[in-house]
Amino acid sequence: MSTNPAPTALRRSLGLWAIVGLGLGYMTPMTVFDTFGIVTGETNGVVPSAYLFALVAMVFTAVSYGRMTRVFPSAGSAYTYASETIHPNVGFLVGWSSLLDYLLLPLVNALIVRLYLESFFPQVPGWIWVVGYVAAITAMNLFSMSSTSKVNGILVAFQIVLIGVFVALTWAALNGGAGTGTAFSLTPLFHAGVNIFAVIGGATVVCFSFIGFDAITMYTEEAKDARTVPKAIVLALMIGGAIFFVAAWFAQSRFPTLAGFHFTDDTLPEIALKTGGLFFQILFISAAVAAAVASSLASHASVSRMIYVMARNGNGRISRTLSFVHPKFRTPAVAVLLVGAVSLLAAAFTLEFVSSMINFGALIAFTMVNATVIIHFAIRKRQVHGAKQIIRNIVLPGIGMLLTGVLWANLHFDALTYGLIWLAIGIVTLLVLTRAFRKRLGVKLDEDGDAAIITREGAPSEAVR
């Protein structure tokens, strides 16, 4: 195999802040207002505490992602780490679990847009908005429309500016006696009637807001410097976490309870209206819709690509169908349409349920990334000499495993039930692919470094053109 770069290799053009911006775009800062009502009810009014718990858990995981990205600089995915450090079969199941959250991310964006438009046009059935929106996003992906880091940066900046305006308006309202009457009260963090289990329950909902910092690993092949990605992972998480926490703090201070809210499944429209009137509500929802559109395009394209590369080297009619490339548009057309079909379920599901479902796969991936650090550095490389190595290679990833494991164990019953069903389907699929473990699976990247390919050992692997 030639060591020369393939003609289609990705250009290393992304600097540190461009990658951080892409991570924040995936995280969608406006989401804090969408789930505010759900988490307020879940935690009895301490949304900032839920974000703080989730952020702490994610920090340890972000460090683990950064370390494993250095070990496998062209394979920025949890399933690749698990395959290389544990076993390809384990990697496949981690990848299968991750596929659940990637597949549902476009659905979440469609659901959020449906809720926005329902708040403005309550007389129009929600399914109409879902069908129209999903059709538009699917068509744009089918015709190979993609966003750039500059456009993403503008959308992220738009969100942050409006969140800043929200904070300023809320500060003035608090000083005028609204809500808790002050921005410095500890009531949003803790008060009578709150317990740790309620906070953890809320954290299982809000941790889906942090999904995106791990997607930064997919830009490894486009980073100007190999050291950029690990730094960007931590920076995106910390900046995003700070935005979530501050926004949640002021929202909870201004609205200690849900009294006066008519629609608690998505409180963003009413929060905006109560904070700054109709004009501010229009601006706020415009920013939220723009963020959802950008996230929809990116997540739809990403999961379509993942389905395509996982199916491309498989055998049988299903694999050939899912790996079909449109001869004119040069896009994985069937995979794109499949994701669009799944996204239509946004007409029936609630935001709370789907966000919990997403967390099932994500938290499994996060837990396994922490585990791979221990296995790779502490067990395989035996870097356990001295307190520093023990802390870095065992204690820190161990804490990350514990915290993400606690979040996973506290998912809603329905999310656990359907997530386990999905995992069971993955196990059956693995048995079929491996012929009851008589064949070995391998996980490799294509030459572009875009995504993992699940292949039978010894099968030829071609780059995606």
Side-chain angles (χ1 to χ4, degrees), residues 354-414:
V354 178
S355 63
S356 295
M357 286 287 290
I358 286 177
N359 292 338
F360 178 89
L363 290 172
I364 287 179
F366 293 167
T367 302
M368 292 307 299
V369 168
N370 285 301
T372 60
V373 171
I374 297 174
I375 294 170
H376 179 76
F377 290 100
I379 297 177
R380 288 194 171 183
K381 298 181 75 69
R382 300 183 184 276
Q383 294 181 2
V384 289
H385 305 293
K388 183 177 180 180
Q389 288 190 347
I390 291 175
I391 291 174
R392 290 190 68 208
N393 301 330
I394 298 179
V395 176
L396 295 182
I399 294 174
M401 282 186 65
L402 176 64
L403 293 177
T404 54
V406 166
L407 290 174
W408 187 88
N410 283 274
L411 287 173
H412 288 182
F413 178 78
D414 286 343

Side-chain angles (χ1 to χ4, degrees), residues 69-135:
T69 299
R70 291 188 179 97
V71 176
F72 303 107
S74 61
S77 300
Y79 47 84
T80 303
Y81 306 155
S83 297
E84 295 292 336
T85 59
I86 304 174
H87 193 279
N89 292 345
V90 176
F92 176 85
L93 292 178
V94 172
W96 181 269
S97 300
S98 299
L99 183 61
L100 178 63
D101 60 82
Y102 282 114
L103 192 59
L104 292 180
L105 277 172
L107 189 156
V108 165
N109 287 301
L111 198 159
I112 288 174
V113 170
R114 184 202 90 195
L115 295 174
Y116 293 156
L117 294 175
E118 282 180 340
S119 69
F120 274 113
F121 309 100
Q123 70 278 10
V124 179
W127 67 265
I128 293 179
W129 301 120
V130 171
V131 171
Y133 179 78
V134 170

